[in-house]
Amino acid sequence: MKDKQKNEKPETNQKLDDLYMNTEDGSGQAMTTNQGLKINDDQNSLTAGERGPTLMEDFHFREKMTHFDHERIPERIVHARGAGAHGYFESYGDWSKITKAGFLGEKGKRTPVFTRFSTVAGFKGSTDLARDVRGFAVKFYTEEGNYDLVGNNMPVFFIQDAMKFPDLVHAVKPEQHNEIPQAASAHDTFWDFISLMPESMHMIMWAMSDRALPRSFSMMEGFGVHTFRFINTEGKSSFVKFHWKPLAGTYSVTWDEAVKISGQDPDFHRRDLWNAIDSGNFPEWELGVQIVAEEDEHKFDFDLLDPTKLIPEELVPVKLIGKMVLDANPTNFFAETEQIAFHPGHLVPGIDFSNDPLLQGRLFSYTDTQLSRLGGPNFNEIPINRPIAPVHNNQRGGIMRQTINVGHTSYHPNKIGGGCPFQAKMAEGGYVSHQEKIEGYKIRKRSKSFMDHFSQATLFFESQTPVEQDHIVEALRFELGKVKSEDIRERMVGMLSYVNKDLAKKVAEGLGIDPNTKPEDPLNHSYPADADPKDYQPTQSNPSLKKSEKLSLTARPGKGIKGRSIAIIAGDGVDADALEAYKKAIEKEGADVKIVAPRSGAIKGQNGELIKVDHSLLTTSSVMFDAVMIPDGAKSAEMLQSDAGAIRFLDESYKHFKFIAIDGAGKQVWDKTYASKNTDVKGVLFDKNVQEFIDSVAKHRIWDRPHAANIPV
Ligand code: HDD
């Protein structure tokens, strides 16, 4: 791997080459001021006398301090916390029959990308493992200009109209009086808002599910959410929904782990992405599309323009059209990950919008927010944002303008400048919006076809496995348990009863309220002042599809154990050969192995070999790993069995349904655990070969462990 921190010229793609022009490397160079003046003393201010005051003329001090004072920019109003990486997208074929987008027009064609993953509600410094939606934003640097697919890891959204977005965000962010709680929806204002908005119920099911606690960015799906349009080379349009399908499979952590990871390593996802790329285990996703012919727009029992609905894959299968590989970490977080500016309105020919009212509102918000976040209208010139396609237009000036436009003219039409830059014909790549016939009155009114708020919430809940359903119940008990207002809890139970009666009953029991709590009337509080509330009450269609197996995380297992992290716990006297063989076999499969021991530094193997320790039992814990192994070695086992950290590590792994491998004398350590007191122990592999362990870890978790919840750690 090339070490880009040392500013070597990366060769991977055209965008990285483009960024290279803006890099700076101080190695072997004298320090200078911003004016290029060499600095002789960067340690001491210029003072009047040895103990006297600092002089105003100390230009070096002033420049250094002023720059520092202005280092921060406003964090994003939503999606403030994120991590990103460079990579490429490769088309699986020539898709010109469905879209004329050039980057999808040829088998094997590669387009550079930068992808940023994020949480939504937390501040920039909050934890990665908050229960939250994850942003999944991809900027394709295509030859026809930048195309941004600004999606989430859930295929639907809380609200149907962008007009409600500021309300939603104000409700979920820390409360305005005391700015509490951070990165959490478990508080009164969020659930107050949600309990009055039945349209949010489908998204609530997703947000309370394991999808909100991904194991890794590389193990989550991405969705464009809205219905977009594809336009083919003949100008024919079809509707399209975008999907990203992770090749590593879809996996999550449990809530108890998430809470503990947040303390142990709030950078868990960011670090995981960085380390995976750094070690050459590049995360990969396939891009999928669901295509609906224009004439089929109204054949579903929901409206394609409603962003609280998905198209079940059973009704329209996902066609895989390409692959994204993230293979280069950013050189500088601020310059790349922080300054990147996405916009769902950054399009290329062949892709267009639908009339989804949430999408339409987003088209205003994204440029607008960059104006305050990045300080003015020239943010498109920031290296990470500039396209690899040439930019020519008559936009001029503005704060921090970088481009030096030559010539006399900055208007169109002109003769002085030879009519340039000229408008491009469609055949030359000029973007032409799809012509769509629209007739109607200018009104503020939600379409009746948007009013079935529960059918897909029910479909999602009933398509989950029993374990996943239990997690939703627990999540709602936790979230609503944190709500102080009894009214809000009751309203929510009433609302949930429309999704699934059993779900509402279980949540009510957990909250200690009457499981027969009646839903509030009216249920929907989101209607205009002069409207009749009855016109806005949810309707219930009777969809033919009762279960969609693809909605369960278990529907998409990955192959192998690439990207997983495994702990081998050992002490002095461990069987070093066995340990080494285990480690090698696992690493060969693309997983990361860490040696964890009672102390940092190194341990001694049974024949005196020195084995480097990656973590002491103090600097890590089981929640940082997917599975654990204790190798053979009598002395090592003796050392570990008296170490509370080692015992807790095993118990906690058991509690979190992880596979555990125990070899030889390691059994003595296991015997000290609470977990070992159970008669029916599952997923603990005694003296099995490493391949069996690898195959088990590939399954991620063993959910069939009835006593796991009772382990007191
Ligand atoms: Fe948004 C950021 C995704 C609805 C307004 N949004 C933002 C990011 C993602 C999304 C991934 C972070 C981009 C990055 O990494 O820089 N947003 C979505 C999805 C939505 C959605 C999938 C619904 C389907 N968003 C939405 C609405 C509005 C916004 C309805 C406002 C009308 N979103 C913004 C924003 C942000 C943003 C305020 C904050 C920072 C930024 O744009 O650049 O403009």
Side-chain angles (χ1 to χ4, degrees):
M1 282 290 297
K2 287 208 177 288
D3 184 355
K4 290 208 289 109
Q5 296 304 315
K6 295 218 177 76
N7 217 19
E8 274 179 56
K9 189 172 186 301
E11 289 154 352
T12 17
N13 70 46
Q14 210 182 334
K15 184 60 197 172
L16 289 171
D17 289 350
D18 170 61
L19 289 178
Y20 182 72
M21 292 192 286
N22 284 78
T23 56
E24 176 277 334
D25 184 357
S27 27
Q29 303 295 322
M31 183 187 284
T32 71
T33 66
N34 283 337
Q35 307 309 315
L37 176 70
K38 287 191 181 134
I39 293 169
N40 174 262
D41 183 351
D42 191 45
Q43 320 295 317
N44 299 294
S45 307
L46 188 68
T47 55
E50 237 172 62
R51 303 177 61 246
T54 302
L55 293 174
M56 182 72 152
E57 73 165 67
D58 189 351
F59 59 88
H60 172 44
F61 168 80
R62 277 189 285 113
E63 182 196 83
K64 182 175 176 181
M65 197 54 73
T66 303
H67 198 279
F68 168 75
D69 290 343
H70 298 271
E71 256 174 26
R72 290 285 177 277
I73 60 171
E75 65 175 34
R76 289 166 174 84
I77 170 74
V78 282
H79 297 266
R81 180 166 181 81
H86 294 275
Y88 63 87
F89 173 80
E90 187 172 308
S91 179
Y92 281 165
D94 168 3
W95 306 112
S96 55
K97 284 210 172 83
I98 46 171
T99 173
K100 62 179 169 188
F103 76 102
L104 295 170
E106 196 186 309
K107 186 171 168 20
K109 186 171 178 67
R110 283 194 179 187
T111 301
V113 298
F114 188 90
T115 299
R116 182 175 181 269
F117 304 103
S118 44
T119 51
V120 179
F123 292 2
K124 196 171 173 302
S126 55
T127 171
D128 283 347
L129 261 290
R131 172 175 295 285
D132 201 351
V133 184
R134 299 299 183 288
F136 194 129
V138 183
K139 192 181 279 296
F140 297 77
Y141 300 93
T142 86
E143 288 159 6
E144 299 173 295
N146 288 351
Y147 168 54
D148 293 355
L149 183 48
V150 196
N152 282 339
N153 75 332
M154 300 178 191
V156 289
F157 203 64
F158 295 97
I159 47 170
Q160 296 174 321
D161 189 319
M163 184 70 119
K164 307 285 325 152
F165 191 68
D167 303 286
L168 166 74
V169 176
H170 285 174
V172 71
K173 284 268 180 179
E175 297 189 7
Q176 65 169 356
H177 60 303
N178 57 9
E179 208 168 80
I180 297 174
Q182 182 54 245
S185 53
H187 60 111
D188 283 56
T189 57
F190 178 68
W191 288 102
D192 182 29
F193 179 77
I194 293 299
S195 67
L196 303 171
M197 297 281 292
E199 72 199 55
S200 64
M201 226 28 60
H202 186 194
M203 181 64 163
I204 286 296
M205 287 300 113
W206 284 80
M208 294 301 115
S209 78
D210 294 346
R211 303 266 176 170
L213 307 170
R215 157 63 182 86
S216 158
F217 293 139
S218 64
M219 297 174 198
M220 62 185 200
E221 287 179 275
F223 303 91
V225 181
H226 314 281
T227 300
F228 288 85
R229 276 179 188 278
F230 263 168
I231 318 290
N232 73 8
T233 32
E234 267 124 47
K236 190 169 165 24
S237 149
S238 50
F239 293 105
V240 57
K241 291 259 192 201
F242 293 105
H243 296 241
W244 289 108
K245 304 293 186 198
L247 284 174
T250 48
Y251 299 105
S252 287
V253 299
T254 64
W255 174 243
D256 188 60
E257 276 177 279
V259 170
K260 289 171 177 165
I261 293 171
S262 291
Q264 180 82 37
D265 184 10
D267 304 307
F268 186 76
H269 284 150
R270 180 181 287 196
R271 195 186 304 283
D272 170 86
L273 178 67
W274 183 278
N275 288 347
I277 294 175
D278 215 35
S279 60
N281 287 325
F282 304 137
E284 299 172 316
W285 293 259
E286 292 187 295
L287 178 65
V289 288
Q290 286 175 298
I291 305 281
V292 176
E294 252 196 338
E295 48 280 20
D296 292 340
E297 180 178 359
H298 301 293
K299 88 167 191 198
F300 301 95
D301 42 33
F302 53 88
D303 196 324
L304 279 187
L305 302 185
D306 174 356
T308 66
K309 305 293 184 298
L310 51 85
I311 311 180
E313 292 186 32
E314 287 77 2
L315 301 186
V316 179
V318 174
K319 185 183 178 66
L320 299 171
I321 60 170
K323 183 166 93 165
M324 173 170 75
V325 180
L326 297 182
D327 63 356
N329 277 315
T331 302
N332 182 284
F333 183 91
F334 180 82
E336 294 157 86
T337 312
E338 192 61 11
Q339 292 202 112
I340 194 159
F342 292 95
H343 191 326
H346 292 164
L347 294 183
V348 287
I351 307 179
D352 207 333
F353 314 120
S354 71
N355 299 332
D356 173 342
L358 191 73
L359 171 61
Q360 294 283 320
R362 292 179 74 193
L363 298 178
F364 166 74
S365 183
Y366 287 72
T367 306
D368 189 47
T369 201
Q370 312 310 345
L371 297 179
S372 58
R373 190 172 78 84
L374 298 171
N378 287 317
F379 61 85
N380 52 299
E381 293 184 334
I382 295 173
I384 191 71
N385 293 324
R386 73 181 167 222
I388 56 167
V391 175
H392 303 288
N393 58 42
N394 292 312
Q395 295 170 31
R396 294 291 183 270
I399 198 153
M400 302 292 174
R401 182 70 170 177
Q402 310 290 302
T403 307
I404 303 168
N405 301 102
V406 301
H408 292 204
T409 57
S410 53
Y411 52 87
H412 190 84
N414 71 64
K415 281 278 182 196
I416 297 177
C420 293
F422 57 85
Q423 301 173 149
K425 293 195 170 124
M426 206 158 131
E428 297 162 345
Y431 187 89
V432 178
S433 291
H434 177 68
Q435 286 191 15
E436 185 187 354
K437 190 173 172 214
I438 304 282
E439 257 176 67
Y441 293 99
K442 194 158 70 174
I443 45 164
R444 289 186 190 274
K445 198 170 190 321
R446 203 78 54 88
S447 167
K448 282 263 177 243
S449 57
F450 277 38
M451 293 301 175
D452 175 7
H453 302 318
F454 296 115
S455 297
Q456 287 208 348
T458 306
L459 176 72
F460 179 79
F461 183 74
E462 293 179 1
S463 301
Q464 304 296 294
T465 62
V467 172
E468 288 172 315
Q469 288 187 345
D470 286 350
H471 290 172
I472 294 175
V473 171
E474 282 163 24
L476 283 161
R477 283 177 175 178
F478 174 85
E479 294 269 321
L480 296 170
K482 289 276 191 174
V483 167
K484 294 189 202 91
S485 157
E486 202 61 37
D487 283 359
I488 298 174
R489 293 181 183 187
E490 285 176 5
R491 277 208 302 274
M492 272 313 302
V493 169
M495 189 84 90
L496 292 172
S497 68
Y498 282 96
V499 177
N500 180 288
K501 292 260 175 327
D502 192 42
L503 165 69
K505 191 166 156 272
K506 285 183 176 157
V507 173
E509 275 163 6
L511 296 173
I513 58 180
D514 178 4
N516 300 314
T517 301
K518 291 270 169 303
E520 162 153 308
D521 184 32
L523 207 58
N524 192 358
H525 290 251
S526 173
Y527 52 83
D530 282 326
D532 179 348
K534 280 202 232 86
D535 289 341
Y536 282 80
Q537 289 317 295
T539 56
Q540 203 125 23
S541 64
N542 188 15
S544 47
L545 191 71
K546 301 291 177 215
K547 212 168 172 184
S548 168
E549 267 155 26
K550 297 279 189 216
L551 295 177
S552 163
L553 280 171
T554 57
R556 265 172 246 286
K559 286 194 197 92
I561 58 168
K562 184 176 156 186
R564 307 294 171 83
S565 200
I566 287 151
I568 299 185
I569 309 186
D572 290 325
V574 68
D575 180 340
D577 293 340
L579 182 149
E580 204 43 49
Y582 230 89
K583 184 168 171 343
K584 266 212 180 114
I586 295 169
E587 284 176 342
K588 210 171 129 230
E589 301 293 318
D592 185 40
V593 176
K594 294 277 184 267
I595 307 294
V596 180
R599 61 160 190 271
S600 298
I603 47 170
K604 272 195 186 147
Q606 79 202 151
N607 301 321
E609 319 88 320
L610 276 186
I611 303 162
K612 192 178 158 293
V613 170
D614 297 300
H615 285 291
S616 77
L617 284 158
L618 195 66
T619 63
T620 194
S621 73
S622 77
V623 294
M624 307 305 295
F625 300 92
D626 293 292
V628 52
M629 188 283 137
I630 310 262
D632 192 12
K635 274 185 80 186
S636 166
E638 211 170 288
M639 189 173 179
L640 294 178
Q641 62 179 295
S642 54
D643 190 310
I647 309 303
R648 192 177 58 225
F649 205 111
L650 290 175
D651 269 326
E652 214 170 36
S653 298
Y654 189 83
K655 183 188 180 79
H656 297 145
F657 309 94
K658 293 172 184 172
F659 286 94
I660 299 169
I662 307 277
D663 276 5
K667 172 93 170 32
Q668 293 162 31
V669 192
W670 170 255
D671 288 343
K672 294 275 177 202
T673 64
Y674 277 100
S676 65
K677 310 288 175 281
N678 293 309
T679 42
D680 185 18
V681 169
K682 291 187 174 148
V684 185
L685 313 179
F686 295 102
D687 300 312
K688 294 282 175 349
N689 68 35
V690 61
Q691 194 53 46
E692 206 164 316
F693 182 56
I694 290 171
D695 294 343
S696 302
V697 176
K699 294 184 205 138
H700 190 58
R701 299 294 162 94
I702 166 139
W703 295 114
D704 183 19
R705 255 186 204 162
H707 335 279
N710 304 333
I711 307 290
V713 283

